[in-house]
Amino acid sequence: MALIRVGTTYIPVTDVDVSAKWYVEKLGAELKYKDESKAILDLAAQSTFLVKAREGETANFKDISGEEHFSMTGGWAGSFRGTSQGVCGGTNHGG
């Protein structure tokens, strides 16, 4: 069997409302559902959950050399301004 698609991506955020607005306005995501603890978005034909997390949580990681990596990067259609390198470089991008 082969994987046919990634089902869901979970991204930690500190403010669900601000984060959902940012993903909709800056990345063109479609808001499907939102409550106090999460927002569910359709982002690039993939389900993305913005999950309320404690301050300082990120979806990034450091490799064996100590270099930080983003767990999600993107290819942009047309001109895009609003992030540095990764889509979810921590809780600052949208929350």
Side-chain angles (χ1 to χ4, degrees):
M1 260 198 314
L3 179 68
I4 57 171
R5 72 179 189 95
V6 173
T8 304
T9 300
Y10 294 85
I11 300 173
V13 298
T14 55
D15 187 315
V16 173
D17 290 327
V18 170
S19 299
K21 182 178 178 184
W22 188 89
Y23 276 81
V24 168
E25 291 178 359
K26 301 290 186 184
L27 300 180
E30 181 182 347
L31 181 64
K32 297 291 191 175
Y33 175 84
K34 184 176 67 159
D35 62 29
E36 308 84 41
S37 64
K38 69 185 164 302
I40 302 172
L41 308 171
D42 181 355
L43 178 62
Q46 181 178 332
S47 179
T48 301
F49 281 47
L50 305 178
V51 181
K52 187 169 178 97
R54 292 185 179 127
E55 187 74 37
E57 292 291 335
T58 74
N60 300 344
F61 66 95
K62 291 185 180 177
D63 65 19
I64 196 164
S65 301
E67 184 176 334
E68 185 173 28
H69 294 273
F70 296 104
S71 59
M72 179 192 303
T73 60
W76 314 115
S79 177
F80 177 78
R81 295 172 201 250
T83 65
S84 53
Q85 296 173 346
V87 172
C88 56
T91 54
N92 291 334
H93 291 301

